[in-house]
Amino acid sequence: METRKEQRISVLFMLYGTLFCVCLITANVLETKQISFGPANMTAGLIVFPVSYIINDVVCEVWGYGRTRLLIWLGFAMNFFFVAMGAVADWIPGASYWNGQEGFHQVFGLAPRIAGASFLAFICGSFINAYVMSRMKLSSGGRNFSARAVLSTVFGELTDSLIFFPLALGGVIPWEEMPSLVITQVSLKTLYEIIALPVTMRVVKFTKAHDHEDVYDSHITYNIFKVKEL
């Protein structure tokens, strides 16, 4: 008789997964507003999007690359569902007495070019972040979490920005402005990660103690499509 290995569902993993998806969806809405910090211009999504990378780091540190891979694809699916439903609602004609179509379109009428660039950038950036975090944990023997969290964010955010801005805004903004835009975004998001590090480290420590988990990815595949391999 075959014995099936019992799998315990972590409540904390479920909570982090929910927050991860909410952050991605919230960032999509906030991206429609342009904001400024001194001379730097950016989208309002900056205030919430880095949180998804922090969650990515926590999950990868505690449960490993396999669970992180599942989380990234779950976030992608939920974000795609949100964008798709928003596009359908935007396409359906509004009631004759309703005067909010222009504002609604500003938020939910995401252009296919922007949506495609956003999804591709998210997938690539998130998996680069998780890969760097996982490999550095193995090579360091689990030491130097701060360095791993910051460097994984730099590589992940750089990948995200290098894909998103040229694909989404190439030809819309001058190409000579692109490098400074990418550097500004990566620098600010990395600074966000550094400022949040004390909180991130406490969350990691609490999660490891609560779930008695501290996974090292010594015998796994980094194929992003092997979702069933946990």
Side-chain angles (χ1 to χ4, degrees):
M1 180 178 178
E2 182 181 358
T3 302
R4 300 184 64 180
K5 182 181 178 181
E6 181 182 354
Q7 289 189 341
R8 183 171 62 91
I9 297 176
S10 169
V11 174
L12 287 179
F13 179 76
M14 292 174 61
L15 291 175
Y16 295 153
T18 302
L19 180 58
F20 185 77
C21 294
V22 170
C23 286
L24 296 178
I25 293 171
T26 303
N28 257 344
V29 177
L30 299 185
E31 289 287 341
T32 60
K33 180 175 181 178
Q34 304 292 312
I35 60 176
S36 297
F37 282 114
N41 297 319
M42 62 210 72
T43 62
L46 177 70
I47 66 178
V48 67
F49 188 76
V51 177
S52 65
Y53 274 78
I54 293 172
I55 297 172
N56 189 318
D57 288 345
V58 172
V59 172
C60 194
E61 174 69 15
V62 178
W63 291 287
Y65 182 87
R67 289 283 185 91
T68 309
R69 176 170 50 203
L70 174 63
L71 185 66
I72 292 170
W73 280 118
L74 177 64
F76 176 87
M78 296 300 100
N79 203 18
F80 181 84
F81 178 78
F82 171 79
V83 171
M85 293 300 100
V88 170
D90 184 53
W91 173 75
I92 298 173
S96 58
Y97 56 82
W98 188 59
N99 298 316
Q101 179 59 32
E102 183 178 351
F104 189 90
H105 181 73
Q106 287 286 336
V107 176
F108 294 100
L110 198 62
R113 177 183 179 184
I114 302 292
S118 177
F119 286 133
L120 181 61
F122 163 72
I123 285 293
C124 294
S126 296
F127 276 114
I128 289 293
N129 182 85
Y131 176 81
V132 172
M133 191 75 180
S134 173
R135 297 302 300 175
M136 286 187 69
K137 183 176 182 179
L138 279 176
S139 63
S140 68
R143 297 183 298 274
N144 304 319
F145 172 78
S146 298
R148 290 186 276 118
V150 172
L151 286 175
S152 64
T153 295
V154 170
F155 282 105
E157 293 289 4
L158 183 60
T159 302
D160 185 288
S161 297
L162 285 174
I163 293 173
F164 177 77
F165 288 110
L167 290 181
L169 301 176
V172 177
I173 64 173
W175 284 103
E176 58 269 21
E177 296 295 326
M178 199 71 71
S180 63
L181 186 61
V182 170
I183 292 172
T184 298
Q185 289 284 321
V186 174
S187 299
L188 288 174
K189 289 179 179 180
T190 303
L191 179 62
Y192 194 136
E193 171 91 23
I194 293 172
I195 293 172
L197 258 178
V199 176
T200 306
M201 294 173 68
R202 284 175 172 79
V203 171
V204 167
K205 184 177 180 180
F206 167 78
T207 306
K208 285 182 177 180
H210 183 276
D211 273 24
H212 306 290
E213 293 274 10
D214 189 6
V215 173
Y216 286 75
D217 298 315
S218 54
H219 300 289
I220 67 162
T221 172
Y222 286 99
N223 186 330
I224 66 173
F225 299 109
K226 297 287 187 179
V227 181
K228 291 184 179 180
E229 293 187 10
L230 299 177

